[in-house]
Amino acid sequence: MQIEKLMKKTPHIVFICCSVFLLIHIGFTLIYNFDSNTENTIIKRAVRRYMLPVFSQNNKVFAPDPPLYKQQLLVRYYNVRKGWTGWIDPGKNLLDITYGNRFSIAAVQHKVHDYVLGQVYDTYYSVDTTISDSIKNNYFIHDARCIMAQHYFSDMAMKENSHPYFHKLQYKICLIYPEKFSNKTAAEIKSTTTELLFPEMNFIPRNVQGY
């Protein structure tokens, strides 16, 4: 009798579970696409981590023209004794891992990296170009999107078992423009690079995950 009752209730339980999941998905989708506030709240971090791996496409599938340049987000770290490290390209490392294994967690991590890149890119071009560098840098240091990148890169370094204690970090965006209308092979195509440099920020010596 109990089994029969359970069998009768099963369709209702499945329906309720599917409905709850659908409502959560719709809610997360609306927040992700229409909420422009970038404060590092728990809800927004949960939304980003749910949407980015599978459901984020940034409308690239509808782009009528190929991109005119390639974007890279690089970072370097500063230690009082050893000075600055070289510039590190986490995006390339994550792509290399993804190409080797399409089911690797690196695919999700690369989407997060692209999201951070897009946020700081928008921040850079939201600032008035006529203001002084000191005012501009002060704006970047206190902007929520740049603070998100600070947390992101600090957390990335903290996950490395062999890293020294860092005191500062700095990141930049590289825009790489290949030759237009070139009939050369990929290896022969020349390119020019524009760098968008952000100010130095304090390294956060704890696992923050504020992005």
Side-chain angles (χ1 to χ4, degrees), residues 26-48 51 115 119 122 144-145 148:
I26 293 174
F28 277 22
T29 302
L30 292 174
I31 294 172
Y32 181 78
N33 285 289
F34 298 105
D35 188 356
S36 60
N37 193 338
T38 56
E39 292 181 1
N40 298 318
T41 64
I42 295 176
I43 293 178
K44 286 169 186 172
R45 287 203 299 272
V47 169
R48 290 170 189 155
M51 294 296 297
Y115 177 80
Q119 291 296 302
D122 290 343
R145 292 164 291 187
M148 177 183 65

Side-chain angles (χ1 to χ4, degrees), residues 21 36 45-46 63 121 153-154 162 182 192-193 205:
F21 175 78
S36 60
R45 287 203 299 272
Y121 178 89
F153 285 121
S154 295
S162 59
S182 176
T192 57
T193 302

Side-chain angles (χ1 to χ4, degrees), residues 64-203:
D65 300 310
L68 300 177
Y69 54 85
K70 181 172 66 173
Q71 296 179 336
Q72 295 176 334
L73 179 59
L74 282 66
V75 64
R76 63 176 181 170
Y77 300 95
Y78 179 80
N79 176 275
V80 172
R81 293 183 178 181
K82 298 183 178 181
W84 287 100
T85 66
W87 287 103
I88 303 167
D89 185 357
K92 182 180 184 303
N93 296 335
L94 293 172
L95 271 182
D96 289 342
I97 298 172
T98 302
Y99 291 153
N101 179 9
R102 294 291 181 177
F103 298 100
S104 170
I105 189 64
V108 177
Q109 293 171 338
H110 186 264
K111 286 184 175 291
V112 174
H113 184 80
D114 272 351
Y115 177 80
V116 176
L117 192 161
Q119 291 296 302
V120 295
Y121 178 89
D122 290 343
T123 304
Y124 192 94
Y125 283 107
S126 67
V127 179
D128 186 357
T129 57
T130 61
I131 62 177
S132 66
D133 289 340
S134 60
I135 297 177
K136 185 187 299 184
N137 288 338
N138 184 65
Y139 174 83
F140 289 147
I141 289 173
H142 294 92
D143 184 86
R145 292 164 291 187
C146 290
I147 294 173
M148 177 183 65
Q150 177 191 19
H151 289 183
Y152 169 70
F153 285 121
S154 295
D155 185 59
M156 180 183 295
M158 289 298 296
K159 291 177 180 177
E160 297 291 334
N161 294 327
S162 59
H163 79 81
Y165 180 83
F166 296 122
H167 299 85
K168 293 188 295 185
L169 63 83
Q170 186 178 27
Y171 51 88
K172 67 178 179 179
I173 296 176
C174 291
L175 306 177
I176 302 172
Y177 298 84
E179 288 179 306
K180 291 184 178 180
F181 313 113
S182 176
N183 292 323
K184 302 176 183 178
T185 62
E188 296 177 337
I189 296 176
K190 297 179 180 179
S191 61
T192 57
T193 302
T194 299
E195 294 186 350
L196 311 180
L197 191 64
F198 289 80
E200 300 172 6
M201 303 182 77
N202 291 330
F203 182 84

